[in-house]
Amino acid sequence: MSRIAEYVEARELAKALTMRDIRGQYKGSILGWFWSLLNPLTTVAVFTFFFAVLGVPAPVGDPSGLKIFALYLFTGLVPWNFFAMSINGAAGSVVAQSSLVTKVYFPRGIVVLSKIGSVGFTTLMEMSVAVVLLLVAGNMVLPWLPAVVVLVALQGCLALGIGLMLAVANVYFRDVQYLVSIALQVLFYSTPVVYQTSLIEARFGARGLFVYRLNPLVDLIEAYHRVLYDLRWPDFRWLGYVAVWAAVLLVLGGWLFNRFEPRLAEEL
Amino acid sequence: MSAPLSPLPDSVAIAVRNVSKEFRRYSVRNQSVKAALFRGSRGTYEDNWVLDDVSLDIPTGSTFGLIGSNGSGKSTLLKCMARILKPNKGSITVNGRLSALIELGAGFHPELSGRENVYLNGAVLGLRRKEIDQRFDRIIDFAGRQVAQAIDQPIKTYSSGMYVRLGFSIAVNVEPEVLLVDEVLAVGDEEFQRRCYQRFEEFSADGRTVVLVSHGLSSVAAMCDQVAWLEGGKLLHVGQPQQVVDAYLTTLDFGRSASVAVSASPGVRLSNIAIEGSQRRNTVTEVGEQVAQLRTGETARLRMSYETDQPHDLPVFAFSIHTLDGTLAANPCTIGVAGPARIETQGTVELEVPSLMLVPGAYTLGAAVFDSSGEHAIDRKLRLVRFEVTGEGQSETRGITALGGHWHGPLFDRP
Ligand SMILES: Nc1ncnc2c1ncn2[C@@H]1O[C@H](COP(=O)(O)OP(=O)(O)OP(=O)(O)O)[C@@H](O)[C@H]1O
Ligand SMILES: [Mg+2]
């Protein structure tokens, strides 16, 4: 409990570090904001082009009726980027901030938290663009935004739990960061970001779909598609399953981080 | 960190109780998953005790110095106090808000401006934004004109001195009850260092505590109320600054002379090293030690006795005079002087100095005997004997040497 009080005490620092990260990212180029958006937009453009060439039909939003491939991709890619970038960033965070960790005392989890915070900020930017585009395309997503907030929070917990573990592991083994990038690539294609879940069902049947859905990211990303593209409620039972994952990973990550925290400064 | 065992009395700012700290000293370190999997281990290491059962009370409102040779564990102790490192054994309790300057500008971001970095650094040191707002002008003011002019420039364009100024300025203006400073002020210029020391005095006057790690022994001796001497992770001595600093300097040299004395030709031992003025005055130091007192310009006799088991041909004798901070002030020797051709059994060597032109202050005298080449010391005792030079009415008081000249010109040549 006193640990939690310590984190509350250090919230100012968390804010400052997050701001530093955000400012540092966009300083040095006036087009910084633009560049950060260019990355997902390019990915969307590339996939849209290829699916058009291959003649893959765009998913039809049910009940929204929306039928624009680029927007389907965008609504999956924004949360995916949030996950991938926060996991990647969190894994490297303690090592990246070693000058701080070895010179000042503060609850070290702040470093991981603020990294996820700054990625969250980028996500907010991207999500705003997505919402504007969806509105332009005629999808009235505004009433669904509270649901998006809940999804982002759930995803933040998931990322934090994993990030805390990886951040510690990366102090001891510096190649963890690279392994994480590789794992994320595999995960990208086993998650319905650029394709639909129905594709899996059609190919592998109900049992295959069940196994596929054991990956908690599947229903998380799927939920974004449903809420933003289809305009309907996600599958709450499976979302509950995701929440259990998030809770378990968060507790496990927190415990592990706490355990190794006192040694971090000398191992760096 | 373990909870405080019992509340500290207000008179103690930091209580260090039986603190031990070990680091792993890796001979092989597998810092990648790949290497660890291939070799089947994370590496081999041995335990290396860097702090060994250190206990220490630092009184509230005092300026406390920490000295010791490189690698003796000073920074480690400071980091334990600052909670950056966790001791393996023992506990440390701190009374009040602590701010540590282990390295200046910890958390400075090179791309951000000085102004933004002040806020960032303030947050690192535990201040809220509003609190930094209140202190901002004071911080810039203390950092000096150069920094004030560059406050909206990115920090990466600052000189290292400007870095130090800004960092220190933030740290002292956080108004911590306890301030830990590790060796960082050395980068600042003379003027800034003076201001820092002045600031430390104000700190003490306010009842705040400063713990200072420094190799600048003369300033440690001058500024601190108490000094602790750490060697090989053990606390050797805590007490009066001059006393501890002197003890440190002396053993530093004994350590060195011991290693030098083990040379090809053993057997000469020096003793009775002394200096004496024409008036043979003595004075008692604050430590209670009897030391010779001379006057600038007085005739002085330097003396040493030797004792040898075997004859030595053409030995070279030398005296050395050091200032307390370790600067060599004079080093007269018998090279080029008609010295003894051969020494057997024992004897005395004396050097008469017609006029001892040292400015008033405290010095140490040492002596050495070398083989005929003058390169290999047979015995050497550096900074063994302390003596003082006074100079009532003496106009030359700074530097080391008094030149004792005569001023000429229309303004001076009055009858
Ligand atoms: N993170 C670390 N891992 C392993 N050994 C360490 C670590 N930090 C310090 N040491 C070792 O601990 C010992 C004490 O180091 P410390 O920095 O406390 O010395 P110091 O008294 O501050 O020296 P200096 O006067 O050079 O600053 C050294 O032998 C050093 O090699
Ligand atoms: Mg040090």
Side-chain angles (χ1 to χ4, degrees), chain A residues 9-24:
Chain A
E9 189 74 12
R11 64 187 180 278
E12 205 73 19
L13 175 60
K15 226 180 337 180
L17 285 181
T18 310
M19 289 313 285
R20 163 174 116 168
D21 215 42
I22 293 170
R23 287 218 196 101

Side-chain angles (χ1 to χ4, degrees), chain A residues 124-171:
Chain A
L124 188 73
M125 294 293 110
E126 294 176 5
M127 194 58 93
S128 314
V129 173
V131 165
V132 169
L133 292 178
L134 285 163
L135 285 174
V136 169
N139 244 22
M140 189 53 200
V141 289
L142 294 182
W144 295 93
L145 289 186
V148 173
V149 171
V150 173
L151 288 176
V152 169
L154 183 60
Q155 200 179 350
C157 292
L158 193 69
L160 183 59
I162 301 172
L164 285 171
M165 290 182 220
L166 292 176
V168 170
N170 195 46
V171 169

Side-chain angles (χ1 to χ4, degrees), chain A residues 50-72:
Chain A
F50 272 105
F51 285 142
V53 168
L54 292 173
V56 179
V60 180
D62 167 27
S64 71
L66 193 64
K67 197 166 180 279
I68 302 175
F69 217 133
L71 286 180
Y72 182 82

Side-chain angles (χ1 to χ4, degrees), chain B residues 162-344:
Chain B
M162 286 159 75
Y163 234 85
V164 171
R165 281 166 173 262
L166 190 58
F168 182 79
S169 187
I170 298 168
V172 293
N173 283 299
V174 165
E175 287 162 10
E177 272 105 49
V178 180
L179 178 66
L180 310 181
V181 184
D182 190 353
E183 203 68 64
V184 286
L185 300 178
V187 203
D189 59 25
E190 190 89 2
E191 180 254 329
F192 184 68
Q193 286 190 17
R194 227 187 1 258
R195 263 194 306 150
C196 294
Y197 293 143
Q198 206 177 335
R199 195 56 194 248
F200 289 152
E201 274 164 29
E202 292 167 25
F203 254 65
S204 299
D206 290 353
R208 301 175 199 277
T209 312
V210 180
V211 183
L212 195 67
V213 169
S214 179
H215 291 288
L217 295 175
S218 48
S219 46
V220 166
M223 284 181 40
C224 295
D225 303 314
Q226 262 193 68
V227 170
W229 168 22
L230 212 57
E231 205 56 71
K234 287 197 173 62
L235 198 62
L236 285 194
H237 207 18
V238 186
Q240 266 243 318
Q242 193 61 59
Q243 190 182 353
V244 179
V245 166
D246 285 354
Y248 170 58
L249 284 174
T250 316
T251 44
L252 200 67
D253 294 321
F254 271 136
R256 200 183 304 157
S257 63
S259 66
V260 176
V262 188
S263 68
S265 45
V268 184
R269 288 171 304 279
L270 298 177
S271 58
N272 296 334
I273 297 164
I275 182 168
E276 194 178 88
S278 52
Q279 318 212 327
R280 304 196 174 175
R281 281 179 307 151
N282 277 327
T283 183
V284 181
T285 63
E286 61 265 38
V287 193
E289 192 186 354
Q290 282 265 336
V291 303
Q293 193 178 47
L294 296 91
R295 202 181 310 233
T296 303
E298 186 177 346
T299 305
R301 283 171 193 286
L302 280 60
R303 199 177 299 128
M304 71 174 108
S305 301
Y306 62 84
E307 201 179 323
T308 177
D309 305 328
Q310 62 196 77
H312 281 273
D313 288 327
L314 295 170
V316 173
F317 290 96
F319 285 105
S320 59
I321 295 176
H322 284 88
T323 62
L324 283 192
D325 60 12
T327 309
L328 182 64
N331 195 194
C333 74
T334 58
I335 292 181
V337 180
R342 185 183 178 85
I343 51 169
E344 287 168 51

Side-chain angles (χ1 to χ4, degrees), chain B residues 388-403:
Chain B
E388 278 176 15
V389 176
T390 59
E392 297 93 62
Q394 167 71 25
S395 66
E396 292 175 78
T397 54
R398 290 167 61 83
I400 297 172
T401 315
L403 294 179

